[in-house]
Amino acid sequence: MQRAILWFRTDLRLSDNLALRAALKENDEIIPVYVFDEQWLGTDQWGFDRTGPYRTQFLLECLEDLKTHLQEVGSDLLIQRGDPAVLLSAIAEKYECNTVYCSKEYTSEEIAVEQQLAKRLSLRTFHNSPMIHPDDVTFDIDRMPEVFTAFRKKVERYSEVRQSFNSPKSIASPAIEASEIPSLTDFGFEAFQQDQRSVLPFKGGALEAWKRLEHYFWDTEKLSVYKETRNGLIGADYSSKFSPWLAHGCISARAIYDEVEKYEDEVEKNDSTYWLKFELLWRDFFKYTAMRYGTRIFHPNGIKNSHKKWGYRPKAMQKWIDGETGDEFVDANMIELKTTGFMSNRGRQNVASYLVHKLNLDWRAGAAWFESMLIDYDVASNYGNWIYAAGVGNDPRDRIFNTQKQAGMYDKDKAYRNRWLRSESVLKR
Ligand SMILES: Cc1cc2nc3c(=O)[nH]c(=O)nc-3n(C[C@H](O)[C@H](O)[C@H](O)COP(=O)(O)OP(=O)(O)OC[C@H]3O[C@@H](n4cnc5c(N)ncnc54)[C@H](O)[C@@H]3O)c2cc1C
């Protein structure tokens, strides 16, 4: 009887899961496990919760959905809280197995956990998260193209996206001790109501991810106009809103890519359908940047050899957080983030630029606030975009946004600013 642990990380799905597929192929029984890692539940050096209430809520919904799907195929989900290396070792001992299958992560804290675990058990990792598998690129990661356009051209020309695949029909597991999904209050947060102004009533889980795709691609065909609408600020459909589900791995980038191709065959192929694939390559670009540069993406000088001095003034920082800078476009975006856990890409670029170039504050504090608040927080995308915005990343140009001008272009009628600055918060269940 060959048994192994399947350790879920940011791959909270059964479909197109390379670690799950290999675990099932090579074992008779598997024990699916999720661990709330204590290191991501505390506060950071700036005093922010590392995982704030919005993402915690989304994560709990993802786990609920994952557990249900596992039960449907004859298995279950064991949920624990603490140090993954210690807990997974204890589970391995209890269930008499020695191998852990999981997704590979590319950033230092996540890699450190893998290293700790590998000292105790046999660890098998799989590239579940990037759209382009690292074995399929034609360059050494250490020599990856520095600039996005060069990276994109290389992978578009020489690399194929691997075909995604469906969930297994059944999963054999030993009797697994029942685990309750914790509640928000177990993490020190009060239950909250969703603000009606939120772009979408985001709900975690694979089922919801596929519902969103069904809506955005097949029901409304909004994908056909994505390139024209993607800089919007209000409403569900100006962009795909796939990011929270991608960040938690409820759906894979490969599966989305396959659906875009299907859409191109069955509905239409145009600049917009291409542009979604293009944006997914940005996501990959930051993952590859993390692979290449390691901890440097968290360094004040990022991946550049510059020696910028960053300041930190708590009061100014707090005003930025609370949307009280006096710049209405920045403030509206910051209030949206604080109230809902989401902000558009246009908004993120503007508020990041404002923090760094106008307020001259340490970009790492801004990145940490985003980490705390965003429901779609992804280490590589967040820190990659922040170093880019701070002029210490892969951008060959120093990009400074004129927030007044941006407001005039993207919020001409002030509908967005009025929405967040002059309308009451409307809460709903
Ligand atoms: C300062 C800053 C911080 C950011 N932090 C994060 C983060 O923590 N997590 C995150 O997923 N995205 C982050 N982004 C990127 C981007 O803003 C979001 O991915 C996007 O707004 C999510 O909305 P969407 O799914 O509707 O995007 P769409 O426009 O529909 O794009 C489709 C997908 O492409 C990917 N994508 C698009 N733009 C980018 C980008 N610039 N970088 C990386 N991937 C991209 C995302 O996976 C997104 O879901 C950040 C951007 C900035 C400027």
Side-chain angles (χ1 to χ4, degrees):
M1 168 70 72
Q2 187 83 8
R3 251 183 213 165
I5 292 172
L6 180 71
W7 174 34
F8 284 102
R9 307 176 82 189
T10 51
D11 54 350
L12 304 177
R13 64 176 182 271
L14 301 188
S15 64
D16 198 33
N17 188 327
L18 298 168
L20 173 62
R21 182 168 73 176
L24 287 175
K25 197 166 163 214
E26 294 163 16
N27 297 278
D28 304 305
E29 289 185 340
I30 63 160
I31 304 136
V33 181
Y34 183 82
V35 181
F36 285 95
D37 189 333
E38 285 295 346
Q39 69 172 321
W40 293 307
L41 301 178
T43 46
D44 61 22
Q45 59 164 314
W46 312 95
F48 307 140
D49 293 319
R50 291 207 64 187
T51 310
Y54 302 119
R55 193 162 70 262
T56 304
Q57 176 64 32
F58 192 87
L59 171 59
L60 294 174
E61 291 160 0
C62 293
L63 294 176
E64 182 91 56
D65 170 274
L66 182 65
K67 191 172 164 70
T68 304
H69 283 118
L70 282 164
Q71 287 172 341
E72 280 168 6
V73 292
S75 183
D76 209 333
L77 183 64
L78 183 55
I79 301 172
Q80 301 210 340
R81 178 172 173 168
D83 178 341
V86 174
L87 293 172
L88 291 167
S89 304
I91 294 168
E93 200 177 323
K94 180 171 175 189
Y95 289 92
E96 295 174 344
C97 56
N98 188 43
T99 309
V100 175
Y101 292 73
C102 68
S103 293
K104 179 87 194 88
E105 301 274 358
Y106 308 107
T107 38
S108 53
E109 290 177 335
E110 288 74 8
I111 294 171
V113 179
E114 289 169 21
Q115 287 166 344
Q116 286 305 315
L117 194 55
K119 285 185 194 159
R120 297 164 179 250
L121 298 170
S122 157
L123 185 67
R124 303 270 322 273
T125 60
F126 298 82
H127 295 287
N128 255 331
S129 173
M131 187 163 76
I132 308 283
H133 195 289
D135 290 349
D136 299 340
V137 295
T138 52
F139 45 82
D140 289 340
I141 304 294
D142 287 350
R143 292 164 163 238
M144 73 170 262
E146 298 263 334
V147 176
F148 173 70
T149 305
F151 170 86
R152 176 181 63 76
K153 285 188 177 160
K154 270 240 158 86
V155 295
E156 283 181 342
R157 181 145 188 203
Y158 300 113
S159 307
E160 295 267 322
V161 176
R162 292 188 186 184
Q163 182 85 45
S164 61
F165 52 89
N166 291 333
S167 309
K169 297 255 177 310
S170 69
I171 296 179
S173 298
I176 295 171
E177 65 188 73
S179 301
E180 292 281 311
I181 307 283
S183 71
L184 202 54
T185 47
D186 293 326
F187 297 91
F189 301 117
E190 282 180 22
F192 60 85
Q193 296 178 326
Q194 212 147 39
D195 192 294
Q196 215 171 20
R197 295 168 297 177
S198 172
V199 285
L200 200 68
F202 288 105
K203 189 163 192 290
L207 186 67
E208 294 293 327
W210 281 97
K211 273 194 205 164
R212 174 66 196 161
L213 187 144
E214 194 68 28
H215 169 88
Y216 192 71
F217 284 19
W218 305 105
D219 297 346
T220 61
E221 297 185 357
K222 292 288 180 193
L223 176 58
S224 288
V225 290
Y226 168 69
K227 192 161 181 239
E228 290 97 74
T229 59
R230 57 180 283 275
N231 280 310
L233 300 163
I234 298 175
D237 293 338
Y238 63 78
S239 64
S240 76
K241 311 293 189 308
F242 290 155
S243 55
W245 291 287
L246 276 167
H248 291 80
C250 306
I251 190 168
S252 72
R254 292 181 295 259
I256 295 175
Y257 184 92
D258 283 349
E259 288 284 319
V260 177
E261 297 248 296
K262 194 166 155 218
Y263 186 97
E264 290 180 335
D265 284 346
E266 295 178 14
V267 182
E268 72 174 310
K269 181 174 177 163
N270 65 14
D271 283 355
S272 285
T273 58
Y274 166 71
W275 214 260
L276 195 80
K277 299 182 196 169
F278 173 99
E279 291 300 337
L280 288 171
L281 280 181
W282 266 108
R283 178 175 174 273
D284 269 25
F285 177 62
F286 289 124
K287 290 198 187 291
Y288 280 83
T289 302
M291 287 180 218
R292 172 170 178 184
Y293 290 100
T295 52
R296 283 180 62 189
I297 63 166
F298 307 112
H299 193 271
N301 292 314
I303 63 173
K304 288 255 168 76
N305 287 323
S306 61
H307 294 282
K308 283 199 182 182
K309 283 258 177 286
W310 300 104
Y312 189 65
R313 287 169 284 121
K315 277 193 184 150
M317 181 72 196
Q318 197 58 47
K319 285 194 166 163
W320 180 78
I321 285 174
D322 292 334
E324 291 175 358
T325 64
D327 180 311
E328 290 207 334
F329 193 50
V330 171
D331 291 347
N333 276 289
M334 292 307 294
I335 291 170
E336 181 184 6
L337 176 65
K338 199 177 172 187
T339 316
T340 69
F342 191 82
M343 190 196 290
S344 68
N345 186 53
R346 184 55 41 193
R348 294 182 204 200
Q349 287 177 315
N350 274 277
V351 302
S353 175
Y354 189 87
L355 182 93
V356 171
H357 300 295
K358 181 88 180 175
L359 299 177
N360 296 312
L361 296 179
D362 193 329
W363 69 266
R364 295 172 303 159
W369 178 245
F370 270 35
E371 174 172 347
S372 182
M373 283 290 118
L374 283 175
I375 52 168
D376 66 15
Y377 170 66
D378 169 297
V379 195
S381 286
N382 189 52
Y383 283 86
N385 273 291
W386 269 98
I387 55 174
Y388 200 90
V392 294
N394 329 53
D395 195 354
R397 286 181 286 166
D398 219 359
R399 240 173 260 258
I400 301 176
F401 283 75
N402 178 334
T403 52
Q404 313 280 330
K405 205 167 151 194
Q406 291 271 314
M409 279 165 74
Y410 297 102
D411 186 31
K412 214 181 268 175
D413 58 2
K414 294 198 174 179
Y416 180 74
R417 278 164 287 177
N418 287 336
R419 191 178 182 82
W420 290 104
L421 299 177
R422 284 176 272 279
S423 80
E424 280 305 304
S425 147
V426 187
L427 302 174
K428 69 165 185 185
R429 273 244 169 257

